[in-house]
């Protein structure tokens, strides 16, 4: 099939970017979006041009490295699917596909389609970890956790940190990302010990760089891990709990 | 392979622009949620009061007079009204100030590249600032029209309440019989329903409603409350304009 890619080219964070158009022929409908970019880059390199920079790693939707905006939609046209699992069969033959980096004030463009998502790391540094020494693996029944609770914690732990929720949000909010981590760690007995200080630290770090949530619900449409909107209520529940019980509880 | 260059657009914001505001985003959202729920409860009760218009002028005016005399002698004359007015005015100030702060922070956080062509599912969320401004204008007009009787908002025949009598029914009918005013009231109620529907659902998130059944209840309640307020209120200007209520 034949596609025209209109791709955002930007040499570095400091300079302005622009769109450039490239025609790609000979790509199959079974190609993933990133494979199409690989093929395009082969053509660019063979003609002595600079290849298009983009992030990717596992290419099976579990690492959270990839992420481009396709026709204004973070990750691409298929909902809840990362860029690496989007296929060219979504686009009619001969169509024009606009590729941009993830757009958010907190995600400065590093180069072309690659953005700096370290703002999400700074939220995790605010408290999205376990600082107590858990020792060796405990006996299976030492910490009673119901099946439903364990499943719920795992569902929220599924976040791969790709940042699509931020890019999808008209407010540039990271509530879904932060809420998923807070919910995940608050549901299990050992990690719940630091609930209060974690909520305070993560919400403070989040408010420094990201926007407020207005419950547009755009984040849950793009999230490759299927994190539900409940995570946003969970974030506020954890923060309110920390306020009502006092810091560090 | 062809290469074409299109227009230059500004780059993204740098990460150095970190914020430590006096009033955090979390607290702004809590203020908006609590004051918004106060407004929602108020407009629901207000709507039930409005329905007394269907019992006729005598009942409606008696209700208006009772509102002024309620809880006497524990409260002074018009005591309940003034308590409500002060609570609502404080809520309105908090709601509007926090909305302005959050709107600005949202635009800064998103950066220069806005999301565009969003589907209809987020229509109420996207229009919250617009519906909010329309409602702000409506509230001012409504108070000038039917509370203070200030022209040109009020009808020419507006009669103020005295200590023991009220002309609320006659004022209401005279106001709504002006076609442009009646239509404006009806449209404002549609805007109110859109704002309340998304507002209650957002407040549920701001106040931490995580339970599965609770969330199912709240999403239904936000729609039902908005719809009840809409139908109860909008029926009055429509029936006045149709000449049923006179």
């Amino acid at each position: 099939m034949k596609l025209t890619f209109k791709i955002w080219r930007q040499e570095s964070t400091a300079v302005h970017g622009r769109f450039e158009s490239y025609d790609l022929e000979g790509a199959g409908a079974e190609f993933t979006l990133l494979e199409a970019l690989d093929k395009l880059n082969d053509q660019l390199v063979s003609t002595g041009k600079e290849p298009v920079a983009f992030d990717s790693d596992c290419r099976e939707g579990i690492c959270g490295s990839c992420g481009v905006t396709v026709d204004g939609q973070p990750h691409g046209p298929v909902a809840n699917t990362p860029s690496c699992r989007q296929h060219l069969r979504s686009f009619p033959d001969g169509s024009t596909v606009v590729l941009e980096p993830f757009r958010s004030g907190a995600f400065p463009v590093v180069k072309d389609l690659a953005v700096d998502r370290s703002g999400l790391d700074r939220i995790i540094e605010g408290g999205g970890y376990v600082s107590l020494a858990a020792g060796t693996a405990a006996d299976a029944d030492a910490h009673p956790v119901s099946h439903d609770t364990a499943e719920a914690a795992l569902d929220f732990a599924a976040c791969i940190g790709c940042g699509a929720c931020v890019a999808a949000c008209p407010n540039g909010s990271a509530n879904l990302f932060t809420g998923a981590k807070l919910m995940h760690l608050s549901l299990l007995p050992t990690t719940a010990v630091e609930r209060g200080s974690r909520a305070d630290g993560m919400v403070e770090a989040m408010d420094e760089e990201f926007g407020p949530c207005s419950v547009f619900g755009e984040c849950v449409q793009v999230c490759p891990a299927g994190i539900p909107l409940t995570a946003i209520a969970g974030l506020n529940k954890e923060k309110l709990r920390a306020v009502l019980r006092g810091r560090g509880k | 392979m062809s290469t074409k260059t299109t227009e230059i657009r500004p780059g993204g914001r740098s990460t150095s622009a970190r914020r430590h505001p006096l009033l955090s985003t979390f607290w702004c959202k809590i203020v908006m949620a609590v004051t918004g729920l106060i407004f929602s409860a108020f407009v629901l009760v207000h709507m039930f009061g409005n329905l007394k218009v269907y019992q006729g002028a005598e009942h409606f005016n008696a209700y208006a007079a009772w509102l002024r005399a309620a809880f006497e002698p524990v409260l002074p004359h018009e005591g309940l009204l003034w308590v409500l007015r002060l609570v609502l005015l404080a809520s309105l100030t908090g709601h509007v100030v926090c909305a302005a702060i959050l709107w600005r922070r949202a635009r800064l956080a998103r950066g220069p590249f806005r999301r565009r062509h969003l589907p209809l599912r987020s229509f109420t969320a996207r229009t919250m600032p617009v519906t909010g401004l329309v409602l702000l204008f409506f509230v001012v007009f409504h108070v000038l029209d039917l509370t203070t009787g200030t022209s040109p908002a009020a009808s020419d025949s507006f009669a103020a309440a005295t200590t023991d009598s009220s002309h609320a029914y006659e004022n209401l009918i005279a106001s709504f019989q002006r076609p442009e005013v009646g239509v404006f009231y009806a449209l404002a109620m549609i805007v109110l329903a859109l704002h309340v529907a998304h507002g209650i659902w957002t407040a549920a998130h701001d106040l931490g409603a995580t339970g599965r059944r609770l969330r199912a209840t709240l999403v239904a309640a936000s729609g039902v409350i908005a719809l009840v307020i809409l139908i109860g209120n909008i029926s009055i200007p429509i029936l006045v304009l149709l000449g049923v209520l006179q």
Side-chain angles (χ1 to χ4, degrees):
Chain A
M1 62 191 294
K2 178 179 178 292
L3 287 172
T4 302
F5 282 108
K6 208 174 142 197
I7 300 178
W8 184 262
R9 302 305 305 261
Q10 184 171 338
E11 281 70 35
S12 71
T13 308
V15 302
H16 289 248
R18 72 214 169 270
F19 279 108
E20 283 184 24
S21 291
Y22 304 95
D23 292 334
L24 182 68
E25 287 180 46
E30 75 284 3
F31 274 39
T32 67
L33 188 65
L34 302 190
E35 284 166 347
L37 279 174
D38 287 337
K39 187 171 171 64
L40 176 69
N41 277 344
D42 283 347
Q43 293 181 12
L44 287 173
V45 169
S46 66
T47 53
K49 295 205 175 85
E50 183 75 10
V52 177
F54 64 95
D55 280 320
S56 84
D57 193 8
C58 76
R59 302 222 175 180
E60 53 182 331
I62 58 168
C63 78
S65 292
C66 68
V68 293
T69 304
V70 185
D71 293 332
Q73 189 80 359
H75 276 323
V78 181
N80 304 109
T81 305
S83 294
C84 63
R85 304 308 305 154
Q86 302 276 346
H87 293 84
L88 297 193
R89 55 178 169 261
S90 298
F91 311 106
D93 197 8
S95 61
T96 299
V97 180
V98 181
L99 299 183
E100 289 173 88
F102 272 178
R103 296 298 193 188
S104 174
F107 292 165
V109 174
V110 175
K111 190 178 183 187
D112 298 338
L113 302 178
V115 295
D116 175 3
R117 285 169 284 186
S118 58
L120 298 179
D121 297 340
R122 286 186 287 276
I123 294 177
I124 296 297
E125 284 167 18
Y129 47 80
V130 184
S131 54
L132 55 89
T136 52
D139 287 343
D141 294 334
H143 298 299
V145 183
S146 74
H147 174 79
D148 288 346
T149 306
E151 286 293 331
L154 275 173
D155 285 347
F156 287 112
C159 170
I160 55 175
C162 64
C165 48
V166 178
C169 181
N171 288 359
S173 168
N175 274 40
L176 196 76
F177 169 82
T178 313
K181 186 53 69 186
L182 283 172
M183 285 292 276
H184 156 214
L185 294 177
S186 71
L187 286 168
L188 299 172
T190 46
T191 52
V193 173
E194 298 168 280
R195 271 173 87 172
S197 52
R198 176 179 301 126
D200 279 336
M202 289 184 76
V203 173
E204 192 180 333
M206 180 187 79
D207 278 357
E208 280 178 24
E209 295 180 57
F210 295 90
C213 170
S214 300
V215 198
F216 288 89
E218 289 300 322
C219 49
V220 297
Q221 300 294 327
V222 298
C223 178
I227 302 291
L229 213 49
T230 311
I232 288 169
L235 176 146
N236 290 311
K237 181 185 180 182
E238 288 299 302
K239 173 65 187 172
L240 263 180
R241 181 186 171 279
V243 168
L244 295 174
R245 293 176 67 127
R247 199 175 175 91
K249 297 282 169 24
Chain B
M1 191 173 64
S2 69
T3 304
K4 287 164 277 177
T5 305
T6 53
E7 93 277 17
I8 292 171
R9 294 163 79 182
R13 197 169 61 106
S14 112
T15 49
S16 61
R18 309 241 180 99
R19 299 183 293 274
H20 287 282
L22 200 62
L23 193 60
S24 72
T25 294
F26 169 75
W27 281 112
C28 284
K29 290 293 293 182
I30 294 290
V31 168
M32 290 204 70
V34 172
T35 55
L37 289 179
I38 290 173
F39 287 133
S40 301
F42 173 76
V43 290
L44 189 64
V45 173
H46 192 332
M47 186 275 296
F48 283 122
N50 294 344
L51 291 182
K52 288 190 185 294
V53 78
Y54 292 118
Q55 291 181 291
E58 203 178 315
H59 264 95
F60 193 71
N61 287 343
Y63 171 66
W66 173 81
L67 281 178
R68 290 167 196 279
F71 302 110
E72 280 182 358
V74 178
L75 289 177
H77 188 67
E78 295 196 355
L80 176 68
L81 281 186
W82 277 105
V83 169
L84 280 175
R85 283 168 185 164
L86 291 176
V87 169
L88 290 173
L89 192 63
S91 298
L92 185 68
T93 311
H95 202 75
V96 172
V97 167
C98 287
I101 292 173
L102 291 173
W103 180 81
R104 189 171 169 278
R105 280 182 198 163
R107 285 187 78 89
L108 281 176
R110 174 64 196 182
F113 300 94
R114 310 253 165 264
R115 276 218 80 185
R116 302 205 185 279
H117 314 299
L118 289 171
L120 205 58
R121 63 169 174 260
S122 60
F123 178 78
T124 52
R126 274 181 283 134
T127 50
M128 283 304 261
V130 182
T131 52
L133 282 174
V134 172
L135 289 176
L136 186 61
F137 175 76
F138 170 75
V139 166
V140 172
F141 181 88
H142 185 46
V143 169
L144 291 177
D145 178 13
L146 292 174
T147 304
T148 63
T150 313
S151 66
S155 61
D156 295 333
S157 60
F158 182 87
T162 63
T163 313
D164 45 27
S165 76
S166 167
H167 309 285
Y169 186 88
E170 292 76 15
N171 292 339
L172 174 98
I173 300 293
S175 178
F176 287 8
Q177 275 175 344
R178 297 172 293 172
E180 67 282 4
V181 175
V183 169
F184 173 58
Y185 269 91
L187 291 178
M189 288 308 109
I190 294 171
V191 168
L192 175 68
L194 294 173
H195 200 83
V196 166
H198 187 69
I200 293 177
W201 183 227
T202 305
H205 286 83
D206 295 340
L207 298 175
T210 53
R212 194 171 51 81
R213 276 190 302 270
L214 177 66
R215 291 175 64 78
T217 308
L218 286 171
V219 74
S222 59
V224 168
I225 292 172
L227 212 58
V228 165
I229 293 170
L230 173 67
I231 295 168
N233 277 339
I234 206 170
S235 63
I236 301 170
I238 289 177
L239 290 179
V240 170
L241 287 173
L242 291 176
V244 179
L245 279 173
Q246 289 183 357

